[in-house]
Amino acid sequence: MKAVREAVRTLLKTQEADSYFNRFDPRAVGFTDYSVHVHKKMDLDTFQRNLDVKRYRNLEEALQDLKLVFQNALTYPRTNPTVKQSATRFLVWYDMLRHKLLKSKSTSDKTWKSHAMNIVAELVVNNIEDTTWFLIPVNHSIYPDYKLSIKHPMDFRKVITKIRSGGYKSLDEFKRDVLLIAENCRVYNKGAEYFQNLSARVETTLCRLVNEAKKKLSSLVKSKKSGGVKERKPTGSTPKTKGSSRLAIKGDQPADARIHQLKMIVHTLTKEAERQGTEVIVRGLTLIQRQLERHAFAQVSAFISAVQALWGKSKSNKSIEQKFDEQLQNYGLLGIKRALHAPSPSKPKLVPAKPKTPPDPFPPPTQSPGIPLQRPRPPVPSPQKFGIGGGVVK
């Protein structure tokens, strides 16, 4: 039940989910025949309260009530078309949530189709704020020019249908269609920075999940060939470190996703430079874009240094530099830039050792504490030259 509660909280972050949160009073809007078509009312607020008081006996019963929240909007014939469209969209979200919670653990990791469904469920359920626009086909009555810009439309509902019906022959074909969803969003929303960044986030998450799925499938094949015995890692292997500045490392973030992020940064900076009319920086960013396409940068730090070299220390390009920092912050790369400019630890200065002086063979007399320094006494007179009274002996 905890997973259902967290999923609903994530759903409520979307603006369209507000229509399904409060209790619906059909008489207040004149829907007197609402009870004829809808037998059980349900909203997200009531559903969350039922979860809090533990009214549901099992997960299946809770999911049935959650489905009613959106199914009732489609069942009633007088529902607003906009609300019906959002209900259709959220039913796709519900389908993926149900798959994620009720999937069989014994068969979830054995075929690439099950991995593809898991990837869609991860994208739709955990990233509903980004993927809510891509769940169903675009409404051409609202966006009539969409057909003119997009030749091959694609959405997640169509992707799910193709997975279940066997429309894909491999995981790469599935990945190609999901990338097409993000690419269509980027093409249709040219100039909209929000949708450009949204497409980049979807592509980055997709590439990461597909690479993880391929690793699991390859390890499964190896374990089958070796008789089910898993390979042991060498004890002396170094642990993987997070925040690495390298573009392509085995086990790290995939290179194509990272390079795509850098391309999006260059694209945003190019627009800012064109707005300011700095042709020199525009030409330099174009060159960097070509180098990214050829995979010329082996590390993110090399890319950051190349971009910063375009404006140098000029104060007139401070706005572009601030834009660069914002883009690095969005993709979690600002720490690499700070590490480049961090002062190196100063080495301790080597002070030459003083030469040792040889000990003095005749040291001065030392005075003991509390005892006065004694002066040398005069020589004692010989008894042969002096008498008893001190006179000279004749």
Side-chain angles (χ1 to χ4, degrees):
M1 297 297 181
K2 183 179 179 181
V4 180
R5 186 181 289 106
E6 291 178 356
V8 172
R9 288 177 182 174
T10 307
L11 179 67
L12 287 173
K13 294 179 181 179
T14 62
Q15 187 176 0
E16 293 182 341
D18 295 340
S19 304
Y20 304 92
F21 181 74
N22 299 321
R23 293 184 180 181
F24 178 63
D25 187 5
R27 294 182 181 180
V29 293
F31 293 164
T32 56
D33 59 340
Y34 188 81
S35 58
V36 177
H37 300 277
V38 177
H39 303 288
K40 182 180 180 181
K41 299 178 184 179
M42 185 56 59
D43 54 83
L44 292 178
D45 186 26
T46 305
F47 178 75
Q48 285 185 321
R49 292 182 181 181
N50 292 343
L51 288 177
D52 294 337
V53 298
K54 299 181 180 180
R55 182 167 296 178
Y56 300 114
R57 292 172 295 181
N58 50 49
L59 181 60
E60 183 65 34
E61 187 177 348
L63 290 177
Q64 287 178 1
D65 265 9
L66 180 60
K67 184 178 181 180
L68 281 178
V69 177
F70 314 112
Q71 190 67 43
N72 289 344
L74 297 177
T75 303
Y76 187 62
R78 297 171 62 184
T79 305
N80 190 320
T82 305
V83 177
K84 281 190 175 183
Q85 185 177 5
S86 63
T88 306
R89 183 179 291 112
F90 287 139
L91 279 176
V92 179
W93 170 85
Y94 166 80
D95 185 16
M96 288 297 95
L97 175 64
R98 183 181 179 86
H99 169 81
K100 186 176 181 179
L101 297 177
L102 299 179
K103 65 181 180 180
S104 175
K105 295 183 179 180
S106 60
T107 59
S108 59
D109 294 334
K110 291 187 177 181
T111 62
W112 67 265
K113 290 184 179 181
S114 59
H115 277 286
M117 287 294 293
N118 295 342
I119 291 172
V120 176
E122 184 77 16
L123 288 170
V124 172
V125 177
N126 293 354
N127 302 275
I128 185 61
E129 293 181 82
D130 292 341
T131 57
T132 183
W133 304 95
F134 314 130
L135 296 181
I136 60 175
V138 175
N139 191 344
H140 298 294
S141 61
I142 302 177
Y143 304 99
D145 59 335
Y146 190 80
K147 291 182 179 180
L148 303 177
S149 303
I150 305 302
K151 297 181 180 179
H152 303 285
M154 185 59 61
D155 57 87
F156 278 109
R157 190 173 68 176
K158 189 181 294 184
V159 169
I160 296 169
T161 304
K162 291 180 70 174
I163 294 174
R164 289 172 174 169
S165 62
Y168 298 119
K169 295 181 180 179
S170 65
L171 199 61
D172 291 330
E173 289 186 8
F174 155 77
K175 177 183 176 182
R176 195 179 303 117
D177 268 3
V178 180
L179 289 176
L180 180 61
I181 296 175
E183 183 63 24
N184 290 344
C185 175
R186 183 182 298 107
V187 172
Y188 183 72
N189 298 281
K190 286 184 179 179
E193 185 176 357
Y194 169 78
F195 288 101
Q196 300 293 327
N197 295 334
L198 185 148
S199 302
R201 290 195 297 269
V202 172
E203 289 174 344
T204 302
T205 307
L206 172 69
C207 293
R208 175 178 60 83
L209 294 175
V210 169
N211 278 273
E212 291 177 359
K214 287 183 177 180
K215 288 181 182 178
K216 291 179 181 178
L217 290 172
S218 62
S219 62
L220 183 64
V221 172
K222 289 181 181 178
S223 62
K224 285 183 178 179
K225 290 182 179 179
S226 59
V229 180
K230 296 183 178 180
E231 297 180 357
R232 294 184 178 180
K233 296 182 179 179
T235 55
S237 60
T238 57
K240 299 173 184 177
T241 57
K242 292 185 178 181
S244 176
S245 64
R246 299 196 62 184
L247 284 176
I249 307 177
K250 291 183 178 180
D252 197 0
Q253 189 173 10
D256 52 354
R258 179 66 77 192
I259 289 175
H260 180 75
Q261 292 177 356
L262 302 184
K263 286 182 180 179
M264 292 301 301
I265 293 174
V266 173
H267 177 71
T268 305
L269 293 179
T270 304
K271 285 188 175 181
E272 182 68 21
E274 289 176 351
R275 187 180 65 84
Q276 296 186 8
T278 53
E279 297 181 0
V280 178
I281 295 181
V282 172
R283 280 192 244 112
L285 290 172
T286 305
L287 179 61
I288 292 176
Q289 185 82 11
R290 294 174 183 172
Q291 291 175 344
L292 285 172
E293 293 174 357
R294 299 195 305 267
H295 296 251
F297 296 105
Q299 293 182 347
V300 178
S301 57
F303 164 78
I304 295 175
S305 301
V307 174
Q308 286 184 309
L310 296 178
W311 51 75
K313 298 181 180 180
S314 176
K315 295 182 179 180
S316 59
N317 300 317
K318 286 296 181 181
S319 60
I320 304 179
E321 187 174 0
Q322 291 177 359
K323 198 73 173 179
F324 185 45
D325 291 345
E326 292 176 3
Q327 293 297 313
L328 292 177
Q329 180 70 28
N330 292 339
Y331 294 108
L333 302 175
L334 189 59
I336 300 176
K337 180 188 173 185
R338 291 174 179 172
L340 290 175
H341 298 280
S344 58
S346 57
K347 297 180 180 180
K349 296 182 179 180
L350 298 177
V351 181
K354 295 181 180 181
K356 295 183 180 180
T357 55
D360 189 1
F362 303 101
T366 57
Q367 180 179 0
S368 301
I371 302 176
L373 185 63
Q374 297 180 359
R375 297 181 179 179
R377 296 181 179 181
V380 181
S382 176
Q384 297 179 355
K385 295 183 179 180
F386 298 95
I388 298 174
V392 178
V393 180
K394 295 181 180 180

